[in-house]
Amino acid sequence: MTGPSTDIGRDLVLFADPQTTFKTAAADYPVAADAVRVITASVNGKSPFAMFADKRGTSTALGIIDQKRTAEFSLECYAYVTNRGTAPDWADLLTSGGWQVKVGVGDATTATGGTTTVITTADTTNWAIGDAGIFESGLASGSYEIRRITNIVANTSFTVSPALQNTPAAGSNILAAIMYKPKDAKDTVPDSLTLWAMNNNSADRVIGGVIGSQSISMGGDEAARITFSGTGRQDNRMVQTTLNTGGPALNASDVVFTVSDGMAIPSDATGTTPYYFQIDSEVFKVINVSGNSVTVAARGVYLGGGAAATHTNGSLMYPYRPTGSYAGTPIPATSGQLMVGGEAFEAGTISIEVDQGIIYRENVHGDAYVVDGYVGGMRNVTATLDGWSFYNSTMISAMVGRSRMAAGILAQQGEAEGGILGVELPTFQFEEPDMDRGGDEVTVSMTGQARGTAAETEIYLMVG
């Protein structure tokens, strides 16, 4: 992990681990499987204070009064999809941020014919209404469309929403996908995350991280992306320091030693809330820091680090960072579809914003942190579609919007098995479309809001 003396973005590693209780970290340290391959990430802990002063002959403040702490974070990643049926790296950020998951277990089914809406089949074993599936319906073999299943007639047919662009041929594959949808009960047992953001020789740990909003972008020249942002209850920052033993080496048996600056280690380190640092190849479990004096637990037995060893005075001591494990590749915009009201929409880009409506319980008396918990408020799902003004598709959809009519939207990027991302907004209320008539081509920008006709139905996110 050692490197340049300044933090550099290319070393960025982020880990996300779901918590079981809101105020307690998921674990003492991240593991490889918690890694999320991110493009950008920021964590900002806030530790405000007020000035302490009176008017009895003083012309300057007498000191400061600590106020409550909190944290904010944001990150952006490609919407990676791994093997079909395997949750992507960023799935924990969804399911700990107002979403619930349904993994389809039906599989190895083939179509016998049907229409673009009702696909006939002789086998519906293990499939259920509400599952997501991918349907081999393109002009080329292996080209799939992802859809939500709205009805099943046992061993007879599937009904999908919205209609496929192409009717599946007899013998074409129907394969299970993963469905994510909103979760009204996210605050019953509060969903939250422990996040670690690390680059070069520093690290931030956020406890009680709550995803307040997500943004999904598809189309254009970019691969599909998704961003997450939210608020955390607590932020702890760890940075690099050096051994400062006064000359002699740190022996393999020493559990108390001195560093150049104890401020590099959070002051709340204890045996039950430790921090892990590394010197050379050895990982240390720090259980106390007092000034520049550091106490560690038994040596040489942590996290796959090297055996207890002797370390020379002046050796770097920096936050331990595991090697993340990653899978999947970004989904390019060179294949996919956008359907509005059952018709193809010639769009360049689509962006979807999900505001979870989080309402934080704040400032409980006697607590050192601002956020004590949260309740789930009203979600708000909005979208913007930008496209060329083709009469037979885009303009008709624009007129639907102008008429204040609702329409269903389905956006898909990718069409190969194991590389598909789909977003469905079943009931989308358009605003007045914007038309730019001054360019070389007339373009249309359509915005609006998704609404649920029942609980948890504003938006569906599917991967397959």
Side-chain angles (χ1 to χ4, degrees):
M1 188 174 173
T2 57
S5 58
T6 57
D7 267 353
I8 51 177
R10 72 168 185 259
D11 283 336
L12 175 62
V13 178
L14 185 132
F15 299 87
D17 195 3
Q19 295 179 192
T20 55
T21 57
F22 179 71
K23 298 179 183 180
T24 305
D28 295 338
Y29 57 90
V31 296
D34 295 331
V36 180
R37 191 190 298 275
V38 294
I39 304 168
T40 61
S42 65
V43 176
N44 297 294
K46 299 184 182 299
S47 180
F49 60 85
M51 301 307 296
F52 164 45
D54 63 24
K55 298 297 191 294
R56 293 192 57 80
T58 61
S59 57
T60 186
L62 300 178
I64 64 170
I65 305 171
D66 289 335
Q67 295 181 331
K68 295 183 178 181
R69 298 187 175 197
T70 188
E72 295 177 352
F73 60 89
S74 64
L75 63 101
E76 180 182 27
C77 62
Y78 292 113
Y80 283 88
V81 176
T82 59
N83 297 324
R84 181 181 55 82
T86 300
D89 289 340
W90 40 270
D92 283 342
L93 293 161
L94 284 178
T95 54
S96 297
W99 299 74
Q100 54 190 310
V101 61
K102 192 173 193 296
V103 180
V105 295
D107 219 345
T109 302
T110 56
T112 58
T115 68
T116 56
T117 303
V118 180
I119 298 92
T120 57
T121 179
D123 182 10
T124 60
T125 305
N126 296 324
W127 291 86
I129 294 172
D131 283 354
I134 60 173
F135 296 80
E136 190 176 21
S137 63
L139 298 178
S141 176
S143 178
Y144 289 87
E145 298 182 54
I146 195 164
R147 293 295 188 272
R148 176 172 55 97
I149 297 173
T150 59
N151 191 48
I152 295 175
V153 179
N155 297 328
T156 300
S157 66
F158 297 103
T159 302
V160 299
S161 174
L164 300 169
Q165 282 191 296
N166 302 287
T167 301
S172 59
N173 291 320
I174 303 172
L175 305 173
I178 301 177
M179 167 74 76
Y180 297 93
K181 68 174 186 175
K183 181 182 179 182
D184 285 345
K186 58 181 172 289
D187 55 347
T188 304
V189 177
D191 293 335
S192 59
L193 291 160
T194 299
L195 297 170
W196 287 269
M198 302 176 170
N199 62 320
N200 204 18
N201 289 350
S202 67
D204 273 280
R205 183 187 68 177
V206 174
I207 298 173
V210 179
I211 305 292
S213 62
Q214 297 91 25
S215 176
I216 304 163
S217 61
M218 303 166 72
D221 293 330
E222 289 285 349
R225 297 188 182 204
I226 184 167
T227 63
F228 301 88
S229 60
T231 295
R233 170 177 166 84
Q234 176 179 345
D235 170 51
N236 296 108
R237 179 162 293 170
M238 294 154 271
V239 299
Q240 173 185 292
T241 185
T242 57
L243 281 176
N244 186 11
T245 61
L250 176 68
N251 293 323
S253 59
D254 291 339
V255 293
V256 179
F257 53 87
T258 303
V259 296
S260 297
D261 198 332
M263 294 292 291
I265 304 167
S267 60
D268 63 350
T270 67
T272 55
T273 57
Y275 295 92
Y276 291 84
F277 280 71
Q278 187 167 348
I279 303 175
D280 300 324
S281 62
E282 183 181 352
V283 178
F284 292 76
K285 180 180 180 179
V286 179
I287 58 175
N288 183 262
V289 57
S290 177
N292 295 333
S293 177
V294 174
T295 302
V296 299
R299 298 273 302 277
V301 294
Y302 301 108
L303 313 181
T310 298
H311 305 282
T312 60
N313 184 42
S315 295
L316 293 178
M317 181 176 177
Y318 50 87
Y320 164 73
R321 184 183 77 187
T323 300
S325 60
Y326 307 96
T329 57
I331 306 173
T334 52
S335 63
Q337 57 186 244
L338 178 59
M339 308 289 290
V340 177
E343 299 290 336
F345 185 91
E346 301 289 347
T349 61
I350 178 171
S351 60
I352 301 164
E353 306 286 337
V354 182
D355 182 350
Q356 293 289 344
I358 299 296
I359 302 169
Y360 296 100
R361 293 194 299 269
E362 297 182 334
N363 293 320
V364 171
H365 186 62
D367 199 327
Y369 299 97
V370 170
V371 177
D372 188 67
Y374 69 92
V375 295
M378 185 174 293
R379 281 185 299 272
N380 187 38
V381 181
T382 58
T384 300
L385 291 68
D386 291 305
W388 304 107
S389 58
F390 288 95
Y391 170 75
N392 64 339
S393 57
T394 315
M395 289 300 292
I396 298 300
S397 296
M399 295 305 290
V400 169
R402 199 171 195 273
S403 302
R404 298 289 187 186
M405 296 173 63
I409 293 176
L410 186 284
Q412 174 180 327
Q413 191 144 318
E415 58 186 23
E417 178 186 349
I420 300 173
L421 174 71
V423 182
E424 183 192 0
L425 309 174
T427 308
F428 192 80
Q429 200 80 43
F430 285 103
E431 298 176 349
E432 183 81 10
D434 294 329
M435 294 193 68
D436 182 358
R437 302 182 184 276
D440 294 332
E441 292 273 359
V442 179
T443 58
V444 178
S445 179
M446 300 176 64
T447 59
Q449 182 170 335
R451 56 186 176 87
T453 56
E456 306 174 334
T457 60
E458 302 98 313
I459 182 172
Y460 299 95
L461 181 64
M462 300 167 280
V463 295

